Structure formats: structure tokens, C-alpha cells
Amino acid sequence: MSSALIVDIHTHVYPRSYMDMLRSRKAVPYVHDPVNATPRLIILSSDDDPSIPLDERGRPVDPSYWDINVKLAFMRRHGINCSVISLANPWLDFLEPEEAQTWAERINDDLEETCARVNQAVDPDNTRSLHEKETLFAFGALPLSAPRADIVVNEIKRLKTLPHLRGVIMGTSGLGNGLDDPALDPVWGALQETDSLLFLHPHYGLPDEAFGGAEVMNRYGHVLPLALGFPLETTIAVTRMLLAGVFDRFPGLKILLAHSGGTLPFLAGRIESCIHHERKFVANGGNVPGPQRSVWDVLQTNIYLDAVVYGTAGLKAAVTAAGGADRLMFGTDHPFFPPLDTSEDAEWPSVTTNYKAIHAAFDTEKEAVGAILGGNAARILNLK
């Protein structure tokens, strides 16, 4: 690992401004500060169960969520040279329309300032390579709840003027009606026009009923929504985009899918077969336009995948679906999935598992390993 450039494309930060906003709220999402204890983040509706004491709801949010020095220490601990930081879910989806633009600008400026300050401190003359330092870039957040689409479009264009911003992150609800919503076309158009990468990340999962209801959810903690709900949410969202012809109308759209695309690489063939046999589509005698491009074409042209999949089988499926290793990028999902061992120098199995999977899947292909670990991200995001 030491000889390769390591770029973490999937790593989250809650800037202080974002934490302050969450602390001011009483509805999900919000941060609760117990007396003499670590703050608690209530991020999912299932976390806000009145039967659970307030001081025990959600998850603890220690400084790894908001202190950039902890992020840098984590990078050094795991040999990471560069991190592309982003807000974690639920981003800004929950904001009132009149607040969305102000908070998006404030948080994105906060991310830019953080990256600039860190990079200036480690390399004041900007003469060292990415291999020689801990460098930060960022994905910006979008004011998707704003009252007009042009506000979102203008923020996408503004982000291109910030030196350390390399794209945007958003969830699967879009403007509130999913990613097949025609009202999103100006957003897709702006992303395509500015050649901005969209990092698509799940948050809402599936309804509790899909897993057996609240009682089952409480019994098994976050395993079902995180292991199954998140990947299926991503798969459904992208498939809706495909069916709605988003990729037909915006062939230059570039999307990075979290968690190796959920189940999309494994189910791509089934999706394609179902589209081929669907009688509602014009191609099969119906009256619904249907997608013009195949799911395989979209995967190998518009889609990039992170390598946050924790196993060689999933990684190989991702590589096959993407058409090669040049469309995969390493990630850690820090600070989520921390080690249960709370000692300061504890190994993060969630990180080392991804390292091991990459090396095991490409043990005889050193160029592919280097590309996934950092080379692809440096090329795709122009990390200079």
C-alpha cells in the first residue's frame, strides 16, 4: 500500500456549521447533547423511537465526524494520501425552502475553506506530489429543497469556481419525488454542462415493513437497513432514472454510485431482460417511451463505482458491470463503521477489508490495484 497513491473517494465530514444546525433541530435529523456524554445523531426515522430514552437514540457522534484533525490522523493511520470529503446523509434535503440556498452556500464555503487551509498547511509552496502529503478535496451539497430549480443550478455552477470542490453529493429523493422526476432535468443539464461528477448516496432505505416492522428493526439494530436497505435504495433510484430516459436525454451525465452501486452490478442483466420483455414500452408495442440505451451501456459510460463493497465477489461483479477496473475508486465510508475497539490506534476492519478485497481480486494485476486505490480518482477528478 505504501508505494501506491491512495485516494479515499467516500469519506464524510459534518462541518461545525452543519453540526450547529442539527443541534438546533428537534425533528429528524437532529443532534442531541446528553449531559456529560457524547452527542447523539438521530439520522433515520427508525432511530427516533419514543420508547428509546433520548440519550440512547441514534448513534454517538464523536469528533471523528466534525474534527478535521481526526480525519487527517485517520488518513495517516491507513496510508491515505488524499480524501475527497463530503457531507454524510441526509445532506440538506430536510431544510425549509427559504433556508436551502443560504445553508448550501455556507456549508460549501466551509468545505472549501477547510480543504484550502489543510492543503496550504501541509504544502505551502504546492510543490509536493499527492503521494507525499495528506490532501483534501470535497464534494459540495445542493439546496435541493429550494423553491426554484435555478437556485440549485446556480450552486452547481458556483461550485465549479471553488478550487477544491470536485463535484456534488446528493441522495435519491431528488426534489422529493425520486430521480425520475422530470423537474430534475435542469439539474441534470447543469451537471452535464459543467462536467461535474455526482456522488449518489443512499439515506432513506426501505420502509421498516419490508424488514418485518419496528420490532424486528429494533431487535437487529442497523444491520437490515444498512446492509440491505441502502444498496436496494441505490439500485431502485438508478433504475428509475434509466426507465425515465434520463441517460438518453443527458448522455454526458457522470455519476459515482456509493457502495459499488448497491445491487445494480449483480442485477443489471435481470433489469435489461425485464425492460426487453415489458409490453408497456413502445419498442414492444406499448405507449410508454422506455429507455433507448441499455443498462450495460449506461454502466460503462455514465457510471462510476466506489469500491466500498467489503469482499472480492462484490468487487468482481462491480468490475464486470463497469466494463473494467478503470471505473472503480477506493473508499472507506469514514467515520461510519468504526471499530468496536475504542483504543486510539485500533484497526478499522471496514477499511482493511476493502484493501484486502482489492488486492485479492487483482493479485496479479498491479496496475489495476493502483488504479482503484488512487489512480482512477486522481484522473477522473483532476486531483492536482
Side-chain angles (χ1 to χ4, degrees):
M1 292 187 300
S2 60
S3 62
L5 170 67
I6 311 294
V7 178
D8 186 354
I9 202 78
H10 186 160
T11 181
H12 302 296
V13 170
Y14 286 176
R16 289 183 183 274
S17 55
Y18 192 67
M19 286 291 290
D20 290 343
M21 178 178 63
L22 292 176
R23 284 189 171 99
S24 71
R25 294 174 52 82
K26 301 300 180 185
V28 176
Y30 64 95
V31 166
H32 169 63
D33 276 312
V35 178
N36 299 321
T38 302
R40 309 284 299 189
L41 172 65
I42 292 79
I43 192 173
L44 300 173
S45 57
S46 57
D47 292 338
D48 199 32
D49 186 340
S51 67
I52 302 173
L54 185 57
D55 290 0
E56 298 176 11
R57 294 182 198 174
R59 66 189 71 187
V61 280
D62 60 28
S64 64
Y65 284 77
W66 47 263
D67 187 338
I68 204 66
N69 291 316
V70 176
K71 177 73 69 181
L72 294 171
F74 168 83
M75 291 170 63
R76 287 190 290 271
R77 171 72 179 81
H78 293 91
I80 296 166
N81 305 105
C82 178
S83 288
V84 185
I85 59 175
S86 57
L87 281 188
N89 47 310
W91 313 282
L92 307 177
D93 293 4
F94 54 88
L95 290 176
E96 294 298 324
E98 63 274 10
E99 301 178 316
Q101 180 179 2
T102 299
W103 276 111
E105 292 175 355
R106 184 180 304 177
I107 289 168
N108 289 333
D109 288 346
D110 196 350
L111 290 169
E112 169 62 27
E113 187 278 330
T114 297
C115 294
R117 172 170 46 83
V118 167
N119 295 353
Q120 174 67 17
V122 299
D123 188 10
D125 299 322
N126 196 27
T127 57
R128 300 164 64 193
S129 72
L130 286 178
H131 289 79
E132 301 173 300
K133 55 188 177 182
E134 289 89 32
T135 306
L136 297 182
F137 293 90
F139 292 125
L142 296 179
L144 292 172
S145 63
R148 303 188 317 275
D150 66 288
I151 295 174
V152 185
V153 168
N154 288 339
E155 185 62 9
I156 291 172
K157 294 179 178 179
R158 190 182 78 90
L159 290 174
K160 293 296 286 189
T161 70
L162 302 182
H164 295 92
L165 271 290
R166 288 298 187 270
V168 301
I169 186 170
M170 66 181 283
T172 62
S173 69
L175 303 175
N177 296 313
L179 301 187
D180 55 352
D181 181 2
L184 276 168
D185 275 10
V187 176
W188 305 140
L191 291 170
Q192 178 175 263
E193 177 188 346
T194 58
D195 194 31
S196 298
L197 181 69
L198 165 64
F199 182 21
L200 186 64
H201 193 293
H203 168 69
Y204 301 94
L206 300 178
D208 290 356
E209 291 73 22
F211 302 111
E215 181 181 347
V216 173
M217 296 285 282
N218 289 336
R219 185 187 311 157
Y220 302 125
H222 288 97
V223 173
L224 291 170
L226 293 183
L228 303 180
F230 271 24
L232 288 170
E233 176 189 341
T234 300
T235 305
I236 292 167
V238 177
T239 304
R240 287 174 63 177
M241 292 177 71
L242 176 75
L243 296 175
V246 171
F247 298 106
D248 300 326
R249 298 193 299 278
F250 303 98
L253 191 61
K254 299 190 304 184
I255 303 180
L256 168 65
L257 299 183
H259 316 124
S260 289
T263 60
L264 189 61
F266 182 79
L267 294 178
R270 184 174 179 84
I271 293 168
E272 187 70 11
S273 177
C274 289
I275 291 172
H276 177 75
H277 291 89
E278 179 49 59
R279 298 181 185 278
K280 287 183 178 291
F281 296 146
V282 170
N284 300 327
N287 58 6
V288 177
Q292 302 303 301
R293 297 172 60 196
S294 74
V295 65
W296 299 112
D297 182 28
V298 169
L299 276 167
Q300 296 171 17
T301 304
N302 301 90
I303 301 297
Y304 299 94
L305 304 174
D306 73 18
V308 184
V309 70
Y310 311 113
T312 56
L315 190 60
K316 289 180 178 179
V319 170
T320 300
D326 62 333
R327 304 184 72 80
L328 267 70
M329 294 177 265
F330 174 75
T332 66
D333 215 347
H334 181 262
F336 296 93
F337 300 99
L340 298 180
D341 177 355
T342 58
S343 59
E344 193 169 312
D345 60 347
E347 182 182 82
W348 286 58
S350 59
V351 177
T352 57
T353 300
N354 283 331
Y355 273 135
K356 292 173 183 176
I358 292 168
H359 282 279
F362 302 97
D363 58 344
T364 61
E365 303 174 60
K366 290 185 178 180
E367 288 187 5
V369 171
I372 295 171
L373 289 178
N376 291 340
R379 169 179 52 85
I380 293 164
L381 294 177
N382 192 27
L383 301 179
K384 296 180 179 178

